[in-house]
Amino acid sequence: MQSPARHFTALERRATFGLASVYGLRMLGLFIILPVFALYAESLPGGRNPTLVGLALGVYGLTQALLQIPFGWLSDRIGRKPVIYLGLVLFAAGSFVAAAAPNVQWVIAGRALQGAGAISAAVMALAADLTREERRTQAMAVIGVSIGAAFALSLIVSAPLSRLIGVPGIFALTGVLALAAMGVVAWLVPTPGQSRFHSDAEARLGLVAAVAREPQLVRLNFGVFALHAVLMALWVAVPFALRRAGLAADHHWQVYLPVLLGSVLLMVPAIVYAERRAKLKQVFICAIVALVVAEATLALAGDSVLGVAAALLAFFAGFNILEASLPSLISKVAPVAAKGTAIGIYSSVQFLGTFAGGAAGGFLYGHYGAYALYGFCAMLLLAWLGVAAGMRQPPAVRTHMYPVPAMDQQKARGLAEQLARLPGVREALVLAAEGVAYIKADADGFDEQRALRLIGEMA
């Protein structure tokens, strides 16, 4: 059997970049109001109530978390594209509701409807349908990069867009972009000849309870909950901190842009060092400490633009490291048969953190002020620090996927046993129904050619 091709085919390229653009546009629509909404809400009835503002910011996370796995299940039943169309229609409807909202309560309803368009699992499943096993990891990585790019872009363009078309105009624009994304799905993204379940990309409902209890995964899920709760809580307070420091709202990007660039410059060498020196846990812990330091700096910054900027630099440097590390750790820790389930739970918990952070941040800021909000964030991060301290050093492993010829269950078990005995292999699973072999192996010492020969001998 030949070594797998190292590049996307033309169809895989269309599928990957088409779906990444759909996913990225949708996430841009969710993120883009974060830096400007709290200030805009002051002009709406009910908008001077920080609790309602926090709910408006974070409520999309609640509906997203509740519906993501069910939408993935539905896509197995009625097809990927119909579910994606449904999700984009819901998202667009929510955007238009928020754009026309006469008060903050209607914005909350619109944001909840936006979140109800929970297409994440369906997009990942469609990507899996349209890519070969050996290229799927790269396809998922491209889609993941689109999320980070959408977040970074939202921080930079939200204030200028708000000045140009207003926050209602931003909501309306995101609705139009969601409808345009339907065209991308229809005309750019190929339709798979056959859709089937993929253990690496989809949640298996029967495994959810067991995977949710796995101790190492619990630590990581608590971490992503805390990370996104703190992120969302900050957007209740930071815009006001910058305004109190004398920076007009339409100039806030002048802080966000250099902060983002600086945080990326700090993140890249940290990630490279962690991977090359097998120091992922140490870098992970340091990143959490950076978040705690950022919260303390925000509390002490007072009316200083430089103080707030320094705090945000520390925060986003730590955030970027953790946001990049957590999915990788999930893949390293999760059993190969339950990787998709572990990622589905992780993603749902992340969105629950978004909701909890917005709701708690708004309540604390409204009733007790900014110091209480920063203190809450710091305590949550310190709790995470304690949980992460007990984490085992992540193994330097990679999960490989290879197509296998048609075979019965007995032959699949036999092949899995042979693969598991190869040097460097930690875990091997062959799923005859999916036509795929999963191998979790050491980053160094795994002989891929021997694995491919064993698979080829089954043809």
Side-chain angles (χ1 to χ4, degrees):
M1 186 173 181
Q2 297 298 314
S3 180
R6 299 297 178 186
H7 303 289
F8 286 131
T9 65
L11 182 144
E12 287 173 332
R13 211 163 21 247
R14 280 177 56 203
T16 299
F17 289 97
L19 289 172
S21 67
V22 170
Y23 205 113
L25 284 174
R26 179 178 161 279
M27 297 311 294
L28 178 66
L30 292 172
F31 294 147
I32 197 167
I33 68 144
L34 298 182
V36 295
F37 181 73
L39 298 175
Y40 160 73
E42 291 181 319
S43 65
L44 290 176
R48 292 185 177 273
N49 182 337
T51 301
L52 294 180
V53 171
L55 282 173
L57 288 172
V59 71
Y60 79 87
L62 179 61
T63 48
Q64 186 83 199
L66 292 176
L67 294 174
Q68 180 175 233
I69 290 178
F71 266 44
W73 175 86
L74 184 62
S75 79
D76 287 331
R77 302 302 184 276
I78 68 171
R80 316 298 190 198
K81 285 192 173 183
V83 169
I84 294 173
Y85 292 142
L86 172 61
L88 290 172
V89 166
L90 289 173
F91 182 85
S95 300
F96 294 134
V97 167
N103 54 49
V104 76
Q105 289 87 345
W106 274 101
V107 175
I108 293 171
R111 290 282 282 176
L113 193 53
Q114 282 184 321
I119 62 172
S120 304
V123 167
M124 295 302 185
L126 181 55
D129 285 337
L130 293 169
T131 54
R132 293 163 295 162
E133 288 80 1
E134 58 268 27
R135 297 279 67 80
R136 195 169 298 153
T137 299
Q138 289 94 320
M140 299 303 180
V142 170
I143 294 172
V145 167
S146 74
I147 303 172
F151 181 70
L153 183 62
S154 70
L155 296 188
I156 297 167
V157 305
S158 58
L161 268 180
S162 176
R163 180 175 59 181
L164 186 64
I165 60 176
V167 172
I170 293 176
F171 277 126
L173 177 62
T174 60
V176 170
L177 290 175
L179 296 177
M182 295 175 67
V184 173
V185 175
W187 298 308
L188 179 62
V189 176
T191 299
Q194 179 183 9
S195 292
R196 57 181 175 82
F197 184 87
H198 305 273
S199 294
D200 62 302
E202 299 180 70
R204 193 183 295 274
L205 297 181
L207 295 178
V208 168
V211 172
R213 292 194 299 267
E214 205 286 322
Q216 292 302 308
L217 292 175
V218 168
R219 294 177 190 275
L220 298 175
N221 288 332
F222 179 82
V224 77
F225 176 91
L227 183 64
H228 283 264
V230 169
L231 173 69
M232 192 56 60
L234 285 184
W235 293 118
V236 178
V238 165
F240 293 110
L242 288 172
R243 189 174 69 177
R244 286 196 304 273
L247 192 65
D250 55 356
H251 292 293
H252 286 187
W253 67 270
Q254 295 173 353
V255 170
Y256 298 140
L257 177 57
V259 160
L260 282 173
L261 295 175
S263 68
V264 171
L265 292 176
L266 293 172
M267 174 196 73
V268 172
I271 293 293
V272 171
Y273 173 80
E275 291 290 345
R276 290 186 177 175
R277 300 294 183 88
K279 298 289 187 182
L280 189 53
K281 179 179 177 180
Q282 291 86 339
V283 171
F284 192 85
I285 295 294
C286 288
I288 301 174
V289 171
L291 298 187
V292 177
V293 170
E295 297 296 337
T297 305
L298 281 170
L300 298 172
D303 295 336
S304 166
V305 171
L306 288 178
V308 174
L312 291 178
L313 178 62
F315 181 87
F316 282 112
F319 178 87
N320 290 340
I321 292 169
L322 294 163
E323 187 78 347
S325 300
L326 280 164
S328 173
L329 288 171
I330 290 285
S331 296
K332 293 177 187 294
V333 170
V336 291
K339 179 183 174 183
T341 305
I343 292 172
I345 294 171
Y346 165 89
S347 185
S348 295
V349 171
Q350 170 185 321
F351 286 117
L352 283 176
T354 295
F355 169 68
F363 175 82
L364 290 170
Y365 189 80
H367 288 79
Y368 304 104
Y371 289 119
L373 185 151
Y374 299 142
F376 163 77
C377 291
M379 287 189 292
L380 186 58
L381 292 168
L382 288 170
W384 182 16
L385 189 61
V387 169
M391 179 176 71
R392 293 195 296 266
Q393 184 71 33
V397 297
R398 289 183 59 195
T399 299
H400 305 262
M401 292 176 285
Y402 306 109
V404 298
M407 64 182 72
D408 58 27
Q409 291 291 345
Q410 183 176 354
K411 285 186 176 181
R413 284 192 296 270
L415 177 58
E417 291 171 2
Q418 293 181 67
L419 292 170
R421 289 195 291 267
L422 293 178
V425 173
R426 302 284 188 101
E427 192 177 353
L429 176 71
V430 178
L431 296 177
E434 297 182 28
V436 63
Y438 297 97
I439 300 174
K440 183 181 286 188
D442 294 334
D444 297 317
F446 170 56
D447 188 343
E448 184 179 47
Q449 292 304 318
R450 287 184 64 182
L452 290 170
R453 282 197 296 272
L454 282 175
I455 295 170
E457 289 168 4
M458 303 299 294

